Amino acid sequence: MMMEIGKHPEFNTIYVDPGVSKYEVWYNKNELEKLSIQYHFISKRRYILAFIGYLLLSIIPPPAGLIAIYIGIYQRIAHTFLWGLFLFLGGIIYGVSSYHQFINMENHLYIEGIGSYIDRWSYKQRKKLMKKLGKRYWFAFLPFSAIERMETKKITSETSGLFIHTKDGKIWPHPKYGIPYNRTLKGDVKFINEIFEQYEKWKSENVEKNILNQSANMGKEVNGTV
């Protein structure tokens, strides 16, 4: 079940955090269809390097460990056996425990807003309320209507962050990291540019709608006074 956190009675327990906006909606992958009924999906971007790293660390160590265990037993080398056991168990434990974290490492773009992956830093800000709800949400959606402005800032030599300033005075989804992306990956840069383009498109379309609505209301008022 998706959660509009601003409507939750205990939202004030985390609202003091500078990265949590009352406008955000929490959801998981199995709720994408429900979210798409209200908002229209455009594209997504996965954290490619992090996901590749996860695959390498969870797939390679177990078989390598089994080989080392076999060699250690066959040649009666204790330290080789122990290293093999460490690699085998470590790879399996890491793969299982980190599966949900890495399988969800992606950001979503909608016609009406942005869906951001709730990473370990952003999760810390939202952990208290999620624990009360008894559920770990992996994504937070923020509608363009809640955005005051957006900017990008350099975090490291290769990484930048998209920082979103909301209308309730927050820096979303995290005041220090924003939505991080790798400047050396064309796909990452393209996705961030798509967000800016869609936001500008949404703003221009809604300005036109507001003008038309105001004109219609003025027409009704004039007709009512005649």
Side-chain angles (χ1 to χ4, degrees):
M1 182 180 178
M2 293 184 296
M3 171 57 61
E4 296 181 50
I5 63 168
K7 295 181 180 179
H8 193 276
E10 296 192 51
F11 173 64
N12 289 332
T13 61
I14 63 167
Y15 188 60
V16 292
D17 198 289
V20 184
S21 172
K22 66 181 179 182
Y23 300 110
E24 63 186 76
V25 179
W26 295 346
Y27 65 99
N28 286 322
K29 273 191 174 180
N30 61 349
E31 294 160 329
L32 281 173
E33 275 190 36
K34 293 179 183 177
L35 193 70
S36 296
I37 294 172
Q38 187 174 357
Y39 306 106
H40 304 85
F41 183 82
I42 296 177
S43 63
K44 67 180 179 181
R45 177 64 182 173
R46 179 175 284 280
Y47 287 98
I48 301 295
L49 295 180
F51 188 67
I52 290 173
Y54 163 72
L55 289 177
L56 292 175
L57 288 173
S58 58
I59 291 175
I60 293 177
L66 285 175
I67 292 171
I69 289 172
Y70 173 77
I71 293 172
I73 294 173
Y74 183 74
Q75 297 186 358
R76 297 183 179 181
I77 305 173
H79 67 271
T80 302
F81 172 81
L82 291 174
W83 269 112
L85 189 63
F86 172 78
L87 283 172
F88 177 72
L89 293 177
I92 290 177
I93 292 169
Y94 176 77
V96 172
S97 63
S98 303
Y99 173 77
H100 288 290
Q101 176 186 343
F102 285 96
I103 204 69
N104 288 298
M105 285 188 73
E106 61 187 41
N107 293 311
H108 305 143
L109 176 60
Y110 296 83
I111 289 176
E112 301 86 355
I114 307 164
S116 174
Y117 165 66
I118 301 176
D119 57 26
R120 64 179 181 272
W121 299 290
S122 297
Y123 174 64
K124 286 179 182 178
Q125 299 175 305
R126 296 158 174 84
K127 184 177 180 180
K128 188 184 291 185
L129 183 53
M130 285 193 193
K131 284 204 165 184
K132 287 183 179 179
L133 294 171
K135 186 174 182 179
R136 172 45 158 120
Y137 288 91
W138 291 97
F139 301 96
F141 173 83
L142 186 74
F144 286 135
S145 58
I147 296 175
E148 193 68 45
R149 64 186 177 90
M150 299 191 298
E151 63 178 338
T152 58
K153 291 181 182 178
K154 185 177 178 181
I155 299 175
T156 68
S157 59
E158 293 185 352
T159 306
S160 288
L162 171 63
F163 296 86
I164 300 170
H165 299 259
T166 67
K167 290 183 177 177
D168 56 343
K170 302 307 176 86
I171 301 176
W172 191 87
H174 191 282
K176 187 176 180 180
Y177 302 106
I179 298 177
Y181 66 96
N182 193 312
R183 295 192 308 279
T184 65
L185 296 178
K186 290 182 179 179
D188 280 17
V189 175
K190 181 183 176 184
F191 184 76
I192 296 300
N193 288 335
E194 285 178 352
I195 292 175
F196 277 100
E197 289 167 6
Q198 182 56 33
Y199 177 54
E200 292 302 322
K201 184 179 178 182
W202 179 90
K203 280 200 301 183
S204 63
E205 288 176 353
N206 278 269
V207 166
E208 290 175 7
K209 286 179 184 178
N210 290 335
I211 291 172
L212 289 172
N213 289 335
Q214 288 174 6
S215 299
N217 290 332
M218 287 176 66
K220 289 178 182 178
E221 289 175 6
V222 170
N223 291 333
T225 56
V226 173

CSV table of all heavy atoms in Angstrom, one decimal, residues 39-67:
chain,number,residue,atom,x,y,z
A,39,TYR,N,-0.3,8.7,-11.8
A,39,TYR,CA,0.8,9.4,-12.4
A,39,TYR,C,1.3,8.6,-13.6
A,39,TYR,O,1.2,7.4,-13.6
A,39,TYR,CB,2.0,9.6,-11.5
A,39,TYR,CG,1.5,10.3,-10.2
A,39,TYR,CD1,1.4,9.6,-9.0
A,39,TYR,CD2,1.2,11.7,-10.2
A,39,TYR,CE1,1.0,10.2,-7.8
A,39,TYR,CE2,0.8,12.3,-9.0
A,39,TYR,CZ,0.7,11.6,-7.8
A,39,TYR,OH,0.3,12.2,-6.7
A,40,HIS,N,1.8,9.3,-14.7
A,40,HIS,CA,2.2,8.6,-15.9
A,40,HIS,C,3.7,8.5,-16.0
A,40,HIS,O,4.4,9.4,-16.1
A,40,HIS,CB,1.6,9.4,-17.1
A,40,HIS,CG,0.1,9.7,-17.0
A,40,HIS,ND1,-0.5,10.7,-16.2
A,40,HIS,CD2,-0.9,8.9,-17.5
A,40,HIS,CE1,-1.8,10.6,-16.3
A,40,HIS,NE2,-2.1,9.5,-17.1
A,41,PHE,N,4.1,7.2,-16.1
A,41,PHE,CA,5.5,6.8,-16.1
A,41,PHE,C,6.1,7.2,-17.5
A,41,PHE,O,5.6,7.0,-18.5
A,41,PHE,CB,5.6,5.3,-15.9
A,41,PHE,CG,7.0,4.8,-15.8
A,41,PHE,CD1,7.8,4.9,-14.7
A,41,PHE,CD2,7.6,4.2,-16.9
A,41,PHE,CE1,9.1,4.4,-14.6
A,41,PHE,CE2,8.9,3.7,-16.9
A,41,PHE,CZ,9.6,3.8,-15.7
A,42,ILE,N,7.4,7.7,-17.4
A,42,ILE,CA,8.1,8.1,-18.6
A,42,ILE,C,9.3,7.2,-18.8
A,42,ILE,O,9.5,6.5,-19.8
A,42,ILE,CB,8.6,9.5,-18.6
A,42,ILE,CG1,7.4,10.5,-18.6
A,42,ILE,CG2,9.5,9.8,-19.8
A,42,ILE,CD1,7.8,11.9,-18.5
A,43,SER,N,10.2,7.2,-17.8
A,43,SER,CA,11.5,6.4,-17.9
A,43,SER,C,12.1,6.1,-16.5
A,43,SER,O,11.6,6.7,-15.5
A,43,SER,CB,12.5,7.1,-18.8
A,43,SER,OG,12.9,8.3,-18.2
A,44,LYS,N,13.1,5.3,-16.5
A,44,LYS,CA,13.8,5.0,-15.2
A,44,LYS,C,15.3,4.9,-15.5
A,44,LYS,O,15.7,4.7,-16.6
A,44,LYS,CB,13.3,3.7,-14.6
A,44,LYS,CG,13.6,2.4,-15.4
A,44,LYS,CD,13.1,1.2,-14.6
A,44,LYS,CE,13.4,-0.1,-15.4
A,44,LYS,NZ,12.8,-1.3,-14.7
A,45,ARG,N,16.1,5.0,-14.5
A,45,ARG,CA,17.6,4.9,-14.6
A,45,ARG,C,18.1,4.1,-13.4
A,45,ARG,O,17.9,4.5,-12.2
A,45,ARG,CB,18.2,6.3,-14.7
A,45,ARG,CG,19.7,6.3,-14.7
A,45,ARG,CD,20.3,5.6,-16.0
A,45,ARG,NE,21.7,5.5,-16.0
A,45,ARG,CZ,22.4,4.9,-17.0
A,45,ARG,NH1,21.8,4.2,-17.9
A,45,ARG,NH2,23.7,4.9,-16.9
A,46,ARG,N,18.8,3.0,-13.7
A,46,ARG,CA,19.3,2.2,-12.6
A,46,ARG,C,20.8,2.7,-12.3
A,46,ARG,O,21.4,3.2,-13.1
A,46,ARG,CB,19.4,0.7,-13.1
A,46,ARG,CG,20.0,-0.2,-12.0
A,46,ARG,CD,19.9,-1.6,-12.5
A,46,ARG,NE,18.5,-2.1,-12.3
A,46,ARG,CZ,18.0,-2.6,-11.2
A,46,ARG,NH1,18.7,-2.5,-10.1
A,46,ARG,NH2,16.8,-3.0,-11.1
A,47,TYR,N,21.2,2.5,-11.0
A,47,TYR,CA,22.6,2.8,-10.6
A,47,TYR,C,23.4,1.6,-11.2
A,47,TYR,O,23.7,0.6,-10.4
A,47,TYR,CB,22.7,2.9,-9.1
A,47,TYR,CG,22.1,4.2,-8.6
A,47,TYR,CD1,20.8,4.2,-8.1
A,47,TYR,CD2,22.8,5.4,-8.6
A,47,TYR,CE1,20.2,5.4,-7.6
A,47,TYR,CE2,22.2,6.6,-8.1
A,47,TYR,CZ,21.0,6.6,-7.6
A,47,TYR,OH,20.4,7.7,-7.1
A,48,ILE,N,23.9,1.8,-12.4
A,48,ILE,CA,24.5,0.7,-13.1
A,48,ILE,C,25.8,0.2,-12.4
A,48,ILE,O,26.0,-1.0,-12.2
A,48,ILE,CB,24.9,1.1,-14.5
A,48,ILE,CG1,23.7,1.6,-15.3
A,48,ILE,CG2,25.7,0.0,-15.3
A,48,ILE,CD1,22.7,0.4,-15.6
A,49,LEU,N,26.7,1.1,-12.0
A,49,LEU,CA,28.0,0.6,-11.5
A,49,LEU,C,27.8,-0.1,-10.1
A,49,LEU,O,28.4,-1.1,-9.8
A,49,LEU,CB,28.9,1.8,-11.3
A,49,LEU,CG,29.4,2.5,-12.6
A,49,LEU,CD1,30.3,3.7,-12.2
A,49,LEU,CD2,30.1,1.5,-13.5
A,50,ALA,N,26.9,0.4,-9.3
A,50,ALA,CA,26.6,-0.2,-8.0
A,50,ALA,C,26.0,-1.6,-8.2
A,50,ALA,O,26.3,-2.5,-7.5
A,50,ALA,CB,25.7,0.7,-7.2
A,51,PHE,N,25.1,-1.7,-9.2
A,51,PHE,CA,24.5,-3.0,-9.4
A,51,PHE,C,25.5,-4.0,-9.9
A,51,PHE,O,25.4,-5.2,-9.5
A,51,PHE,CB,23.3,-2.8,-10.4
A,51,PHE,CG,22.5,-4.1,-10.6
A,51,PHE,CD1,21.7,-4.5,-9.5
A,51,PHE,CD2,22.5,-4.8,-11.8
A,51,PHE,CE1,20.9,-5.7,-9.7
A,51,PHE,CE2,21.7,-5.9,-11.9
A,51,PHE,CZ,20.9,-6.4,-10.9
A,52,ILE,N,26.4,-3.6,-10.8
A,52,ILE,CA,27.4,-4.5,-11.3
A,52,ILE,C,28.3,-4.9,-10.2
A,52,ILE,O,28.7,-6.1,-10.1
A,52,ILE,CB,28.2,-3.8,-12.4
A,52,ILE,CG1,27.4,-3.6,-13.7
A,52,ILE,CG2,29.5,-4.6,-12.8
A,52,ILE,CD1,28.1,-2.8,-14.8
A,53,GLY,N,28.7,-4.0,-9.3
A,53,GLY,CA,29.5,-4.3,-8.1
A,53,GLY,C,28.8,-5.4,-7.3
A,53,GLY,O,29.4,-6.3,-6.8
A,54,TYR,N,27.5,-5.2,-7.1
A,54,TYR,CA,26.7,-6.1,-6.3
A,54,TYR,C,26.7,-7.5,-6.9
A,54,TYR,O,27.0,-8.5,-6.2
A,54,TYR,CB,25.3,-5.7,-6.1
A,54,TYR,CG,24.3,-6.8,-5.7
A,54,TYR,CD1,24.3,-7.2,-4.4
A,54,TYR,CD2,23.4,-7.3,-6.6
A,54,TYR,CE1,23.5,-8.2,-3.9
A,54,TYR,CE2,22.5,-8.3,-6.2
A,54,TYR,CZ,22.6,-8.8,-4.9
A,54,TYR,OH,21.8,-9.8,-4.4
A,55,LEU,N,26.5,-7.6,-8.2
A,55,LEU,CA,26.6,-8.9,-8.9
A,55,LEU,C,27.9,-9.6,-8.8
A,55,LEU,O,28.0,-10.8,-8.5
A,55,LEU,CB,26.2,-8.7,-10.4
A,55,LEU,CG,24.8,-8.3,-10.7
A,55,LEU,CD1,24.6,-8.1,-12.2
A,55,LEU,CD2,23.8,-9.4,-10.2
A,56,LEU,N,29.0,-8.8,-8.9
A,56,LEU,CA,30.3,-9.4,-8.8
A,56,LEU,C,30.6,-9.9,-7.4
A,56,LEU,O,31.2,-11.0,-7.3
A,56,LEU,CB,31.4,-8.3,-9.2
A,56,LEU,CG,31.4,-7.9,-10.7
A,56,LEU,CD1,32.4,-6.8,-10.9
A,56,LEU,CD2,31.7,-9.1,-11.6
A,57,LEU,N,30.2,-9.1,-6.4
A,57,LEU,CA,30.5,-9.5,-5.0
A,57,LEU,C,29.6,-10.7,-4.5
A,57,LEU,O,30.0,-11.3,-3.6
A,57,LEU,CB,30.4,-8.3,-4.1
A,57,LEU,CG,31.5,-7.2,-4.3
A,57,LEU,CD1,31.1,-6.0,-3.4
A,57,LEU,CD2,32.8,-7.8,-3.9
A,58,SER,N,28.5,-10.8,-5.2
A,58,SER,CA,27.5,-11.9,-4.7
A,58,SER,C,27.6,-13.2,-5.5
A,58,SER,O,27.3,-14.2,-5.1
A,58,SER,CB,26.1,-11.4,-4.7
A,58,SER,OG,25.7,-10.9,-6.0
A,59,ILE,N,28.1,-13.0,-6.8
A,59,ILE,CA,28.2,-14.2,-7.7
A,59,ILE,C,29.5,-14.9,-7.7
A,59,ILE,O,29.6,-16.1,-7.7
A,59,ILE,CB,27.7,-13.8,-9.1
A,59,ILE,CG1,26.3,-13.4,-9.2
A,59,ILE,CG2,28.0,-14.9,-10.1
A,59,ILE,CD1,25.8,-12.9,-10.5
A,60,ILE,N,30.6,-14.1,-7.7
A,60,ILE,CA,32.0,-14.7,-7.9
A,60,ILE,C,32.5,-15.4,-6.6
A,60,ILE,O,33.0,-16.5,-6.7
A,60,ILE,CB,33.0,-13.6,-8.4
A,60,ILE,CG1,32.6,-13.1,-9.8
A,60,ILE,CG2,34.4,-14.1,-8.3
A,60,ILE,CD1,33.5,-12.0,-10.3
A,61,PRO,N,32.3,-14.7,-5.4
A,61,PRO,CA,32.9,-15.4,-4.2
A,61,PRO,C,32.5,-16.8,-3.9
A,61,PRO,O,33.3,-17.6,-3.5
A,61,PRO,CB,32.6,-14.4,-3.1
A,61,PRO,CG,32.5,-13.1,-3.8
A,61,PRO,CD,31.8,-13.4,-5.1
A,62,PRO,N,31.1,-17.1,-4.0
A,62,PRO,CA,30.7,-18.5,-3.6
A,62,PRO,C,31.4,-19.6,-4.4
A,62,PRO,O,32.0,-20.5,-3.8
A,62,PRO,CB,29.2,-18.5,-3.8
A,62,PRO,CG,28.8,-17.0,-3.6
A,62,PRO,CD,30.0,-16.3,-4.2
A,63,PRO,N,31.4,-19.6,-5.7
A,63,PRO,CA,32.1,-20.6,-6.5
A,63,PRO,C,33.6,-20.6,-6.2
A,63,PRO,O,34.3,-21.7,-6.1
A,63,PRO,CB,31.8,-20.4,-7.9
A,63,PRO,CG,31.3,-19.0,-8.0
A,63,PRO,CD,30.7,-18.7,-6.7
A,64,ALA,N,34.2,-19.4,-6.1
A,64,ALA,CA,35.6,-19.3,-5.8
A,64,ALA,C,35.9,-19.9,-4.5
A,64,ALA,O,37.0,-20.6,-4.3
A,64,ALA,CB,36.1,-17.8,-5.9
A,65,GLY,N,35.0,-19.7,-3.5
A,65,GLY,CA,35.2,-20.3,-2.2
A,65,GLY,C,35.1,-21.8,-2.2
A,65,GLY,O,35.9,-22.5,-1.5
A,66,LEU,N,34.2,-22.3,-3.0
A,66,LEU,CA,34.0,-23.8,-3.1
A,66,LEU,C,35.3,-24.4,-3.7
A,66,LEU,O,35.8,-25.5,-3.2
A,66,LEU,CB,32.9,-24.2,-4.0
A,66,LEU,CG,31.5,-24.0,-3.4
A,66,LEU,CD1,30.4,-24.2,-4.4
A,66,LEU,CD2,31.3,-24.9,-2.2
A,67,ILE,N,35.9,-23.7,-4.7
A,67,ILE,CA,37.2,-24.2,-5.2
A,67,ILE,C,38.3,-24.2,-4.2
A,67,ILE,O,39.0,-25.2,-4.0
A,67,ILE,CB,37.6,-23.4,-6.4
A,67,ILE,CG1,36.6,-23.6,-7.6
A,67,ILE,CG2,39.0,-23.7,-6.9
A,67,ILE,CD1,36.8,-22.6,-8.7
